[in-house]
Amino acid sequence: MKLVLKGHDERYTVEQSLMNLFPGELPVYEPILPGDESWAVITLREEDGCRVTVELRHGGKTAAQACRATLSGTEFEQEGQRRHVIARCFFLAARAITGATPPWGMLTGVRPDKPVTWALAEGKTPDEARTMLEEEYFVTPERAALALETGAAALTAARRLGPKDIDVYVGIPFCPTRCAYCSFVSQSVERSFDLVPPYVDALIAEIRSGGQMVREQGLRVRAFYMGGGTPTTLTAEQMDRVLTAFEESFELDDCGEITVEAGRPDTITAEKLAVLKGHGVTRVSVNPQTMEDHVLRAIGRCHTAGDIGRAMDLVAKYGFPHVNMDLIAGLPEDTPEGFRRSLDACLSFGTDNVTVHTLALKKGSRILLEGLSIPGPEAVGEMLDYAAPVLRSAGYAPYYLYRQKYMSGSFENIGWCRPGGECWYNIDIMSELCSILSFGAGGSTKMVEPGTNHIERVFNLKYPKEYTERPEKGLANQAAFAAFYRKLGI
């Protein structure tokens, strides 16, 4: 679709709305010529506030829409208000042409429940917050009710945090094999075994320097999360060294949650679980993604559903307080019936935490590169429609959610848990409630100013080899983290 922006340069806002409302259309910034059948002109004028007009042509139909908004607050807040009215106006024009309303209405971002958390924090009632989503953002009643639950959980999480509270993330960018849906910067251990020992050495050095910085700034760690990749590709001895470095580098009296993604069952051993238990890990994740053997083969996993069952039995013997399992709706070769069997199997293990992801078609994944066959949006919707009532009837409730680009059916990922099974780190990072100090290749450190939408980011080097060879980048990121808190003066 040809896009012409007048009086502004809010390309990101318009492009996100375009992808949401016209899947498959790509933005093109070229003059509109006679005979063009796919275009939009988005105009912003500062007239007693903010006035936006949208002229839109698509599918042989033309629509025009105008919206107004008052501007108030800081310049940062006014920028957000301008983006909101642009997105709203584009949405209304698009809906006039298509006659369709996506499940999340005009919301295009990763965190569609954020407006609910803000509304509740400002003193609005749950009914007022839900109505606001439906009327101001055009979210369907079902999704608005879901956002109310997860938004309320985020508010609870926020109220437990102080201004100097942070979370810590450690990334292990290695996997036994690369899954078909994956686009993360991770290395197959089979192909890069020699990279692991120097990577662990570099990671430990970064953790120790980061711990010193955190102590000097008087910050408090509330949650720890080790993800990947697959952290349990490390040996038991390597895992012990990393967790020991974390324990020795940080004051952990107030860190009530230590999560390690055990990930694939073919990497889980009694020796590794004993190390995790010995270091006080409170939560482990075993992530089958599916319990269908033919689907596991299709996505490139080297284990079976039976292996998952054996790994879960082993995990149960160590008595971790919390166990999570992940599933993905929409995997290659899967069906609604197969997804139902997978979910039922996961529930049979008695885990207190289940995350149901929707497949996101990521650039660089084998699904796109090789054109693998995947279920359509209707089939994915059928999978998710089964999951929600079954999980609720088994005593689970949604406690966090997020969206990704190019998700099948424009749905969402939802974390479900039984009472007391929340992973606070998941809420903190998805709702952007506190700073996240990240260690390891590909790590993204997020600096959050308490009580505001002001967020800054710094990034570690992506690839394990360059991360190992250039420790100065991690040190620079830690210096930026320290400077951020010194500037806040808290």
Side-chain angles (χ1 to χ4, degrees):
M1 178 179 289
K2 290 186 175 181
L3 301 175
V4 176
L5 311 184
K6 296 183 177 180
H8 67 98
D9 192 31
E10 293 291 346
R11 292 192 177 198
Y12 182 80
T13 298
V14 175
E15 289 174 4
Q16 292 301 301
S17 297
L18 175 65
M19 288 191 296
N20 182 40
L21 299 162
F22 298 100
E25 286 280 354
L26 296 176
V28 178
Y29 294 92
E30 296 177 358
I32 299 170
L33 303 176
D36 285 343
E37 284 295 312
S38 183
W39 53 263
V41 179
I42 305 98
T43 304
L44 182 146
R45 296 184 178 89
E46 302 278 345
E47 298 174 353
D48 297 325
C50 175
R51 183 174 187 269
V52 174
T53 60
V54 173
E55 298 174 79
L56 182 62
R57 176 78 177 172
H58 188 267
K61 299 179 181 179
T62 304
Q65 187 70 42
C67 297
R68 285 184 177 275
T70 57
L71 300 178
S72 61
T74 65
E75 180 57 34
F76 177 78
E77 291 169 332
Q78 291 183 25
E79 287 178 8
Q81 293 158 11
R82 291 187 189 95
R83 287 193 292 269
H84 176 80
V85 72
I86 288 171
R88 180 185 179 91
C89 200
F90 190 93
F91 171 84
L92 291 172
R95 190 171 68 168
I97 285 179
T98 66
T101 300
W104 287 104
M106 61 173 278
L107 294 173
T108 62
V110 172
R111 302 164 181 88
D113 59 352
K114 258 194 169 185
V116 170
T117 305
W118 296 336
L120 294 174
E122 292 168 359
K124 286 186 170 60
T125 68
D127 282 345
E128 289 172 334
R130 184 175 60 248
T131 299
M132 175 267 299
L133 271 190
E134 294 179 21
E135 295 183 355
E136 293 186 24
Y137 295 93
F138 310 100
V139 177
T140 63
E142 180 184 39
R143 288 305 188 280
L146 173 62
L148 181 62
E149 291 183 270
T150 58
L155 183 61
T156 298
R159 287 172 172 167
R160 88 189 202 288
L161 296 169
K164 303 193 82 170
D165 286 352
I166 68 170
D167 291 349
V168 170
Y169 176 84
V170 170
I172 308 297
F174 301 98
C175 282
T177 59
R178 190 178 185 86
C179 291
Y181 53 81
C182 183
S183 66
F184 288 142
V185 178
S186 59
Q187 302 283 328
S188 167
V189 171
E190 294 174 344
R191 297 183 179 181
S192 56
F193 182 79
D194 291 343
L195 292 177
V196 179
Y199 179 85
V200 171
D201 291 341
L203 178 62
I204 288 172
E206 188 190 17
I207 289 171
R208 292 196 182 280
S209 63
Q212 180 179 343
M213 179 272 294
V214 165
R215 291 195 303 272
E216 290 172 351
Q217 298 304 314
L219 304 176
R220 183 171 71 159
V221 177
R222 300 303 306 277
F224 168 90
Y225 195 103
M226 183 184 289
T230 305
T232 43
T233 54
L234 299 184
T235 65
E237 186 269 339
Q238 290 167 339
M239 183 72 72
D240 178 64
R241 290 181 60 209
V242 172
L243 292 174
T244 297
F246 170 66
E247 292 170 347
E248 293 178 350
S249 303
F250 293 88
E251 173 57 56
L252 300 180
D253 288 349
D254 297 300
C255 181
E257 178 179 280
I258 300 177
T259 297
V260 174
E261 288 185 357
R264 302 196 196 185
D266 46 334
T267 67
I268 298 173
T269 66
E271 186 182 16
K272 294 176 187 179
L273 293 177
V275 167
L276 300 186
K277 187 67 174 180
H279 283 282
V281 169
T282 60
R283 183 175 181 271
V284 296
S285 294
V286 180
N287 303 329
Q289 316 305 7
T290 177
M291 295 293 286
E292 298 283 284
D293 283 338
H294 72 284
V295 180
L296 288 169
R297 289 192 296 271
I299 64 175
R301 291 289 185 102
C302 295
H303 62 80
T304 66
D307 295 328
I308 296 166
R310 286 185 286 275
M312 287 298 294
D313 290 342
L314 189 59
V315 167
K317 291 179 181 179
Y318 283 85
F320 293 98
H322 305 289
V323 180
N324 172 75
M325 298 186 80
D326 281 9
L327 291 175
I328 299 178
L331 288 173
E333 308 301 331
D334 206 359
T335 63
E337 294 76 19
F339 180 83
R340 291 171 195 156
R341 289 191 293 268
S342 293
L343 179 60
D344 292 346
C346 287
L347 295 183
S348 72
F349 295 117
T351 177
D352 67 345
N353 200 297
V354 175
T355 307
V356 179
H357 297 271
T358 301
L359 179 68
L361 296 176
K362 300 175 182 178
K363 296 178 181 178
S365 68
R366 284 202 300 111
I367 289 177
L368 288 183
L369 294 176
E370 299 177 13
L372 301 182
S373 175
I374 59 173
E378 289 186 2
V380 174
E382 192 176 337
M383 296 174 187
L384 299 178
D385 287 345
Y386 177 78
V390 167
L391 284 161
R392 289 186 187 279
S393 66
Y396 298 80
Y399 75 96
Y400 84 104
L401 66 83
Y402 67 102
R403 302 175 69 206
Q404 295 169 276
K405 292 181 181 178
Y406 314 115
M407 293 186 78
S408 181
S410 191
F411 293 116
E412 64 284 314
N413 304 317
I414 305 176
W416 297 81
C417 71
R418 287 179 170 146
E422 298 87 354
C423 176
W424 296 110
Y425 175 88
N426 282 338
I427 303 177
D428 291 347
I429 190 169
M430 287 305 163
S431 296
E432 299 180 320
L433 301 180
C434 69
S435 295
I436 309 292
L437 178 60
S438 294
F439 299 102
S444 172
T445 285
K446 185 180 299 185
M447 296 164 280
V448 178
E449 182 177 351
T452 75
N453 290 323
H454 176 214
I455 298 172
E456 297 180 16
R457 294 173 175 82
V458 291
F459 303 93
N460 272 5
L461 296 168
K462 283 186 176 182
Y463 300 101
K465 190 173 188 299
E466 64 175 348
Y467 165 83
T468 299
E469 294 173 347
R470 294 179 55 194
E472 67 274 10
K473 182 63 170 72
L475 293 174
N477 290 349
Q478 291 173 18
F481 197 88
F484 178 85
Y485 277 92
R486 285 197 298 269
K487 185 176 180 181
L488 290 181
I490 56 177

